[in-house]
């Protein structure tokens, strides 16, 4: 094996299981990186103190002694420039939040991971390391050039023009880096909203559609850019508190719950606010999440606010949320019109009637794309939700790539049984 160049990026893996570290080393053996391993958080901290230039730290969350979040928090003080990734199960939401807030983790990876995805994540993280390093170099260069400008006199006009052009190029690169950071933030939001869908498959893609409709309503009202961004964040994460609710309750209709079950279910709005309250820039979104189940007539939860006391963003999200949940149970080429008509009975009670006229255009722009020319609605369903007479909108393949059903095929009992069988084994 050829010796790695001295400038190869360094990656530190920390896991208390030796076989996982060996597996990671084999997985990345073809990557041009220098790999360091530690079997505990304490050992990882020693390596950080005695090694120079570690670019990326990948740590398991559940370890004896220091947990992953605690290790990353201390590692941040020793090697603040190193990017950090946490390996965790999707149910460890509190540990994931601690790793991001306290340990400065740039992202998390669910266990067990997909090998190809993990390789791409590590490559992307190292690419970001290079961008940050380049950002520092460019910033230092800009500072140096600004100091040189002070020393130049008016007779060096041509020199000034040349350096000004270079500064413009550097500023462009810095703007690109800022856009990269914004993209990473939006990716984190998407990842958090996906956690809810892992618990409640029936709400798959629900948060994205609620966010899209809510943003369009807010834009039609000419709200500020900051207010629209807070509404977008809150809409994407409005159901994140359901992660803390038992799966049994998520499968029940609220009308069937006893008082204790209903009380526990109603806590998800508070849990959602609490989950993101430690992130200062998202606290206003947390307020909107808390109140998105308040009813306009004061009969909602958790604080029984009414009318204008309910934050405007919460009222907008409630409107979009109600439409999507109602629309999911309707079929036919006039599903949008039927949904809007059904919602009118909730105006003034559950919903703000003044906002209702603003809903029409956003839902048509969003949901018309889900309906094909025959008036059917394209939906992604789990095998247990399939019914005879449904048509296949896209090719259905097994996990190994075997074509099971083609576009346009009608489902019968035999095909549904076959799909369920393949789903269980592949």
């Amino acid at each position: 094996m050829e010796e790695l160049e001295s400038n190869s990026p360094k990656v530190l893996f920390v896991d208390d299981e030796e076989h996982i570290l060996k597996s990671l080393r084999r997985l990345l053996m073809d990557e041009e990186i220098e790999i360091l391993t530690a079997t505990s958080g304490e050992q990882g901290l020693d390596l950080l103190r005695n090694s120079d230039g570690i670019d990326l730290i990948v740590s398991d969350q559940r370890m004896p002694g220091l947990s992953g979040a605690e290790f990353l928090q201390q590692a941040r003080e020793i090697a603040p420039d190193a990017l950090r990734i946490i390996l965790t199960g999707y149910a460890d939401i509190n540990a994931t939040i601690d790793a991001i807030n306290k340990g400065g983790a740039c992202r998390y990876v669910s266990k067990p991971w997909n090998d190809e995805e993990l390789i791409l994540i590590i490559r992307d993280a190292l690419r970001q390391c290079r961008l940050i390093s380049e950002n520092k170099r460019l910033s230092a260069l800009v500072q140096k050039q600004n100091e040189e400008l002070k020393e130049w006199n008016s007779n060096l006009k041509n020199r000034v023009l040349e350096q000004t052009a270079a500064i413009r190029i550097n500023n462009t690169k810095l703007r690109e880096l800022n856009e990269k950071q914004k993209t990473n933030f939006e990716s984190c939001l998407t990842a958090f909203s996906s956690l809810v869908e892992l618990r409640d498959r029936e709400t798959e893609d629900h948060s994205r559609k609620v966010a899209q409709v809510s943003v369009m309503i807010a834009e039609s009202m000419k709200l500020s850019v900051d207010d629209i961004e807070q509404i977008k964040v809150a809409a994407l994460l409005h159901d994140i508190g359901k992660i803390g609710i038992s799966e049994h309750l998520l499968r029940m209709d609220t009308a069937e719950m006893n008082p204790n079950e209903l009380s526990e279910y109603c806590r998800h709005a508070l849990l959602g606010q609490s989950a993101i309250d430690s992130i200062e820039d998202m606290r206003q979104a947390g307020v909107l999440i808390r109140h998105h189940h308040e009813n306009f007539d004061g009969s909602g939860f958790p604080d029984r606010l009414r009318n204008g006391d309910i934050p405007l963003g919460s009222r907008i999200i409630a409107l979009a949320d109600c439409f999507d949940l109602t629309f999911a149970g309707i079929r036919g080429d006039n599903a949008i019109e039927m949904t809007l008509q059904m919602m009118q009975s909730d105006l003034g009670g559950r919903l703000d009637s003044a906002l209702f006229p603003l809903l029409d255009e956003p839902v048509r722009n969003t949901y018309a794309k889900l309906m094909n020319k025959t008036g059917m609605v394209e939906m992604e369903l789990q095998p247990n939700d399939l019914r005879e007479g449904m048509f296949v909108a896209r090719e259905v393949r097994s996990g190994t790539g075997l074509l099971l059903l083609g576009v346009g095929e009608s489902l019968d009992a035999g095909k549904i049984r076959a799909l369920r069988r393949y789903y269980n084994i592949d």
Side-chain angles (χ1 to χ4, degrees):
M1 181 182 294
E2 295 181 0
E3 191 175 20
L4 292 173
E5 296 180 3
S6 60
N7 61 349
S8 296
K10 294 182 181 179
V11 181
L12 171 61
F13 290 97
V14 183
D15 198 297
D16 61 305
E17 299 184 53
E18 285 280 358
H19 72 276
I20 290 182
L21 294 175
K22 292 179 180 178
S23 176
L24 288 168
R25 187 179 288 277
R26 287 194 301 270
L27 177 64
L28 300 168
M29 63 185 300
D30 292 330
E31 301 294 315
E32 295 184 355
I33 60 177
E34 181 179 346
I35 295 177
L36 304 176
T37 60
T39 56
S40 68
E42 293 81 357
Q43 186 181 3
L45 294 175
D46 289 338
L47 280 173
L48 286 172
R49 294 186 186 100
N50 299 314
S51 302
D52 294 328
I54 291 181
D55 301 287
L56 175 64
I57 304 171
V58 182
S59 173
D60 186 27
Q61 165 57 23
R62 292 190 176 184
M63 297 186 295
L66 289 176
S67 68
E70 293 167 340
F71 162 69
L72 290 181
Q73 185 176 6
Q74 296 185 38
R76 188 179 191 178
E77 298 175 1
I78 299 172
D81 294 334
L83 289 184
R84 293 163 288 277
I85 294 175
I86 189 77
L87 301 177
T88 179
Y90 76 83
D92 294 334
I93 180 62
N94 292 328
T96 304
I97 291 174
D98 282 345
I100 292 174
N101 292 343
K102 300 178 182 178
C106 63
R107 68 180 300 167
Y108 74 92
V109 177
S110 297
K111 297 176 65 178
W113 61 77
N114 177 281
D115 285 348
E116 294 182 359
E117 291 179 354
L118 182 59
I119 290 174
L120 292 176
I121 287 171
I122 290 176
R123 287 177 181 172
D124 184 68
L126 292 175
R127 190 180 302 113
Q128 187 175 349
C129 288
R130 290 193 293 271
L131 288 173
I132 293 174
S133 177
E134 180 66 5
N135 181 21
K136 291 182 178 180
R137 189 188 70 81
L138 291 172
S139 297
L141 178 61
V142 170
Q143 182 178 358
K144 179 181 178 181
Q145 291 171 341
N146 286 335
E147 292 172 353
E148 290 176 354
L149 285 172
K150 296 177 181 179
E151 299 175 1
W152 293 342
N153 58 46
S154 59
N155 294 327
L156 299 176
K157 181 178 180 180
N158 291 335
R159 175 67 174 171
V160 171
L161 291 175
E162 292 175 0
Q163 295 303 318
T164 301
I167 291 173
R168 289 174 179 171
I169 294 174
N170 291 334
N171 285 338
T172 299
K173 292 181 178 180
L174 289 173
R175 284 195 297 269
E176 292 174 353
L177 289 173
N178 288 334
E179 287 298 320
K180 177 73 172 180
Q181 296 295 332
K182 180 180 179 182
T183 300
N184 288 340
F185 174 73
E186 293 177 350
S187 297
C188 287
L189 291 180
T190 303
F192 276 125
S193 66
S194 298
L195 289 174
V196 181
E197 296 171 3
L198 289 174
R199 288 291 312 282
D200 190 358
R201 291 290 187 181
E202 294 181 0
T203 63
E204 191 162 4
D205 213 27
H206 169 70
S207 297
R208 183 192 62 81
K209 289 181 287 186
V210 170
Q212 186 171 341
V213 171
S214 298
V215 167
M216 284 192 281
I217 294 175
E219 289 175 342
S220 70
M221 298 177 70
K222 309 297 183 184
L223 299 185
S224 69
V225 173
D226 288 343
D227 286 343
I228 293 174
E229 181 63 21
Q230 293 295 335
I231 289 173
K232 177 182 177 181
V233 171
L236 282 171
L237 303 180
H238 73 281
D239 277 338
I240 195 171
K242 288 184 177 180
I243 295 175
I245 301 299
S246 67
E247 188 171 351
H248 169 69
L249 291 181
L250 295 179
R251 302 301 181 191
M252 293 181 64
D253 189 296
T254 54
E256 302 173 352
M257 297 179 184
N258 61 43
N260 290 334
E261 291 172 333
L262 184 61
S263 177
E264 181 183 350
Y265 175 80
C266 290
R267 289 179 60 243
H268 79 265
L270 300 177
L271 293 173
Q273 181 188 24
S274 299
I276 64 173
D277 187 70
S278 59
I279 305 174
E280 184 174 354
D281 290 343
M282 297 175 65
R283 285 178 182 167
Q284 182 56 41
V287 174
L288 302 185
I289 291 172
R290 178 189 181 97
H291 297 300
H292 79 279
H293 276 299
E294 304 283 2
N295 291 341
F296 198 70
D297 61 2
S299 63
F301 61 86
D303 299 319
R304 303 183 70 85
L305 301 183
R306 63 170 58 242
N307 302 338
D309 292 335
I310 305 172
L312 175 60
S314 297
R315 283 179 274 152
I316 292 174
I317 293 171
L319 196 66
D321 183 41
C322 179
F323 181 91
D324 188 68
L325 295 176
T326 305
F327 180 84
I330 297 178
R331 301 291 183 270
D333 55 3
N334 62 341
I336 294 177
E337 288 75 11
M338 291 177 62
T339 303
L340 291 171
Q341 184 176 358
M342 292 177 64
M343 290 176 63
Q344 291 184 7
S345 62
D346 288 326
L347 299 182
R350 177 182 177 186
L351 304 171
D352 185 348
S353 58
L355 296 177
F356 185 71
L358 303 177
L359 182 64
D360 189 277
E361 184 176 352
V363 298
R364 293 187 188 279
N365 289 338
T366 301
Y367 291 84
K369 299 175 183 178
L370 302 176
M371 304 181 68
N372 61 25
K373 295 180 180 179
T374 63
M376 298 181 182
V377 177
E378 180 180 347
M379 302 179 68
E380 183 175 350
L381 301 174
Q382 295 298 303
N384 289 335
D385 297 327
L386 299 177
R387 299 291 181 269
E388 294 184 41
M390 291 182 173
F391 290 89
V392 178
R394 306 184 186 184
E395 287 185 348
V396 179
R397 296 181 179 272
S398 70
T400 54
L402 178 65
L403 180 63
L404 303 180
L405 292 173
V407 176
E409 289 190 52
S410 176
L411 295 183
D412 56 25
K415 292 177 180 177
I416 292 175
R417 285 196 299 271
L419 284 174
R420 290 172 179 170
R421 185 172 64 255
Y422 272 102
Y423 180 83
N424 289 329
I425 66 175
D426 189 6

